[in-house]
Amino acid sequence: MTAWIAEVPTHGSVELPPDPHALDALGRNHSLETALADLVDNSVDAGAGNVLIRFIRNEGRLIGLYVVDDGKGMTPEGIDTAMTLGGRRAYDNSDLGRFGIGLKAASFSQAESLTVLSRASGHPAVGRRWLHEQDRTTFHCDLVPAEFAETELGRPWPFSTSTSGTVIRWDRVAGFPAVEDSQQVTTFLTRSVEHLRGHLGLMFHRLLAAGRVRIMIDAEDITAGTGVPTEVTPIDPFGYPKPALGWPRTLIADSPRGPLKIVCHLWPRKSNAVEYRLPGGAENRQGLYFYRHDRLLHAGGWEGIHAPDKKLQLARASVDIDGDLAGMFVMNPEKSRVTAGADFAPAVTAARADDGTTMSDYLRAAEEMWSTSNQRATAQRRAVIPPGKGLNPKVVREILDELPQLPADSLNILWAKFDSDDFFEVDRATQTLRLNNRYRAAILGGRRGGLNDVPLLKATLFLLVENVFQGAHLGARDKDNIELWQNILTAAARAELASHVGRS
Ligand SMILES: Nc1ncnc2c1ncn2[C@@H]1O[C@H](COP(=O)(O)OP(=O)(O)OP(=O)(O)O)[C@@H](O)[C@H]1O
Ligand SMILES: [Mg+2]
């Protein structure tokens, strides 16, 4: 056995600065939305009242992006720390910043070139630039002339940056479409703005609702001018119109790091409101919502407390991880995910509300709320014949979800050859609504037919005629309705045919 030497011996040291390629590894988990949220964090920390995200186009192409704020800006010394990887400052206990890498990691995850132009009150404007792919062996940052910084800060932004403010400029953004096709770029832009509004509206909902910051998004065509900005509005995942009776309840657990508070909310029922649906879909947004300094970091998931379950989708609980509690959690550098440490699960198990409610009581209540609210909604509705052949499976699923069903053979809606011009035929013997093939091509309007074709028309017909398939025989009222629909729908079908023939 070799003797254990407690101290490792050394003989001098060698300097090993990080290879600049280390930059490549940064921000790999960023999307455009999370990267921009990281820049908004910096603006919020700088006390900005206004933030603008501006896409820059040149005719067809997207060529760059700005994030501008009217916060306190950076001094000529401050900007060098800001550009330094891991350059940290003294953080307040309400600051969103933490690692000293956000600006660089977020920017290089999306763009080849990062330019920062800033002015602190009473100081001259300053500018710096980092190029991602510069062939370098050192970490030299480019100096940008003060006049250029002045010019960029002085562009016509929707708010003033003349006292203080910061302009972050991205050039050569990898995620932008490289095409010149104006239509495609417009589609990309519309979609990006929509995603951004969803993501930022959710992540910053508390700060936006409290009026601490306004976030605007617009696009400027350098040859044609600036479009109208859209404002990011708060999306509160707990924004139900009326709370469920007896909820929310706050569960508290003592942990070695201080009291852990879990505010357990229940949506009274599923809803079409954007606050319920949320980007990513309500079903994926059940569970825990972690906030740090009022910024939402992580929206949903059970962190091992429970598996995701359709029946738990009304349950959303918020946890504020401020102060000493922060040690219980690990936040990824992109600030888009929080992982709970080993002491979280026992704390959750131990947590109780004033009235003794536990986490498992909460989950049980959530399941109950889901099934009763669903039953209540559907039970009040008139039962229908189950949908059968000819209807799109998604339509069938929705009908089954929304309406109680009669114990009867299912109703088919199928095309058939008719001798007459009638648009449809009710065949109660086979529980089939037949549609006249004559009109099929006109209604398809060039699309391909199939068993489940024209879902919109068939769903509408299902809702309209399903009732006449109920009961032992056709009543006088049913017969009159069938005649009425036949006259009107046949006229409509003929009109479809005429306009189709007219076109081809
Ligand atoms: N918009 C801005 N206005 C004023 N100062 C800024 C702005 N953006 C960045 N800074 C300065 O640059 C520094 C570095 O920003 P960066 O995002 O890289 O790190 P951080 O915010 O300190 O920490 P984190 O990595 O957690 O984001 C900030 O601490 C801040 O001093
Ligand atoms: Mg930051």
Side-chain angles (χ1 to χ4, degrees):
M1 208 167 66
T2 318
W4 164 253
I5 303 169
E7 282 295 316
V8 176
T10 58
H11 66 117
S13 65
V14 51
E15 172 143 11
L16 295 174
D19 187 281
H21 286 109
L23 281 174
D24 295 349
L26 287 178
R28 283 294 171 96
N29 291 317
H30 268 308
S31 62
L32 182 63
E33 293 101 80
T34 61
L36 287 170
D38 220 323
L39 298 197
V40 174
D41 279 351
N42 289 342
S43 300
V44 169
D45 280 351
N50 294 287
V51 181
L52 171 74
I53 296 170
R54 175 170 292 177
F55 292 84
I56 303 290
R57 298 179 76 161
N58 182 6
E59 290 171 356
R61 284 186 76 121
L62 269 170
I63 55 169
L65 183 139
Y66 281 112
V67 178
V68 188
D69 71 56
D70 59 1
K72 69 177 160 49
M74 287 168 253
T75 62
E77 302 79 53
I79 199 170
D80 286 331
T81 319
M83 295 304 271
T84 305
L85 207 55
R88 303 186 47 183
R89 58 187 162 87
Y91 295 107
D92 272 354
N93 39 18
S94 66
D95 276 343
L96 302 174
R98 160 119 188 236
F99 301 109
I101 60 167
L103 170 65
K104 287 72 69 176
S107 301
F108 292 138
S109 76
Q110 307 296 312
E112 289 296 313
S113 163
L114 159 67
T115 308
V116 177
L117 312 143
S118 190
R119 171 165 41 220
S121 172
H123 291 272
V126 279
R128 298 283 184 274
R129 185 186 66 175
W130 272 122
L131 289 184
H132 192 189
E133 276 307 318
Q134 211 164 44
D135 187 20
R136 60 165 108 237
T137 48
T138 61
F139 278 95
H140 278 119
C141 181
D142 300 318
L143 303 172
V144 176
E147 305 81 73
F148 183 75
E150 290 277 353
T151 312
E152 291 284 88
L153 284 157
R155 291 185 102 239
W157 309 115
F159 45 83
S160 166
T161 56
S162 58
T163 321
S164 69
T166 300
V167 172
I168 308 288
R169 174 174 161 168
W170 288 352
D171 292 275
R172 291 188 277 138
V173 184
F176 288 170
V179 294
E180 305 265 346
D181 180 61
S182 183
Q183 194 59 44
Q184 249 172 294
V185 172
T186 303
T187 309
F188 172 87
L189 244 182
T190 314
R191 219 186 35 225
S192 301
V193 171
E194 221 25 64
H195 283 170
L196 261 178
R197 291 191 73 219
H199 186 77
L200 300 177
L202 180 59
M203 296 301 155
F204 293 97
H205 77 92
R206 284 189 184 172
L207 298 165
L208 290 166
R212 282 194 35 205
V213 68
R214 279 179 75 194
I215 307 172
M216 285 156 280
I217 309 173
D218 70 10
E220 174 182 336
D221 191 318
I222 55 170
T223 57
T226 309
V228 187
T230 45
E231 185 149 356
V232 177
T233 47
I235 302 175
D236 178 0
F238 307 97
Y240 34 74
K242 221 171 77 189
L245 196 66
W247 299 91
R249 294 180 202 171
T250 304
L251 311 192
I252 301 181
D254 283 324
S255 85
R257 304 176 195 269
L260 170 76
K261 263 205 227 173
I262 311 167
V263 187
C264 300
H265 294 255
L266 281 185
W267 274 74
R269 62 187 66 85
K270 77 170 179 179
S271 154
N272 257 328
V274 60
E275 284 83 358
Y276 183 74
R277 283 185 288 122
L278 293 186
E283 217 173 307
N284 302 317
R285 295 297 197 176
Q286 59 182 278
L288 301 167
Y289 285 66
F290 293 109
Y291 292 83
R292 177 170 168 267
H293 305 159
D294 285 334
R295 139 74 139 122
L296 178 58
L297 295 171
H298 184 121
W302 289 109
E303 283 305 307
I305 302 173
H306 200 283
D309 186 335
K310 185 179 159 99
K311 292 190 229 101
L312 289 178
Q313 62 181 284
L314 299 176
R316 292 178 183 171
S318 68
V319 181
D320 281 85
I321 51 175
D322 298 329
D324 294 339
L325 219 50
M328 194 187 280
F329 303 91
V330 182
M331 156 174 90
N332 68 344
E334 287 86 4
K335 303 208 190 83
S336 55
R337 199 166 50 238
V338 171
T339 312
D343 38 2
F344 181 66
V348 171
T349 315
R352 297 278 181 282
D354 283 348
D355 64 357
T357 306
T358 64
M359 196 65 184
S360 28
D361 296 334
Y362 170 52
L363 296 175
R364 210 168 312 117
E367 269 193 45
E368 239 158 67
M369 184 78 80
W370 173 253
S371 50
T372 51
S373 72
N374 248 19
Q375 277 164 15
R376 200 177 327 119
T378 52
Q380 284 167 359
R381 293 178 178 149
R382 190 177 59 77
V384 296
I385 311 251
K389 287 204 261 313
L391 281 150
N392 178 298
K394 288 204 174 118
V395 175
V396 171
R397 202 170 326 129
E398 209 57 42
I399 293 174
L400 298 180
D401 256 9
E402 294 291 334
L403 293 164
Q405 277 96 61
L406 292 168
D409 285 347
S410 50
L411 167 55
N412 311 308
I413 305 185
L414 303 170
W415 295 99
K417 210 162 172 327
F418 282 35
D419 290 332
S420 72
D421 273 0
D422 285 354
F423 177 60
F424 70 88
E425 181 181 281
V426 170
D427 181 357
R428 288 173 36 107
T430 61
Q431 290 283 79
T432 304
L433 176 73
R434 287 203 195 85
L435 309 180
N436 191 341
N437 238 339
R438 236 191 111 175
Y439 303 109
R440 192 175 189 178
I443 290 169
L444 282 167
R447 291 171 302 166
R448 275 181 41 181
L451 178 65
N452 300 331
D453 58 8
V454 291
L456 189 60
L457 175 66
K458 287 180 181 165
T460 312
L461 288 171
F462 180 89
L463 295 174
L464 184 71
V465 309
E466 172 277 327
N467 197 235
V468 304
F469 287 87
Q470 294 192 20
H473 54 84
L474 276 184
R477 180 70 183 268
D478 290 334
K479 286 183 187 153
D480 184 52
N481 270 337
I482 291 174
E483 195 183 322
L484 166 75
W485 300 331
Q486 189 67 270
N487 292 339
I488 294 176
L489 294 178
T490 304
R494 286 195 182 121
E496 293 272 3
L497 196 59
S499 71
H500 182 66
V501 170
R503 247 181 316 137
S504 50

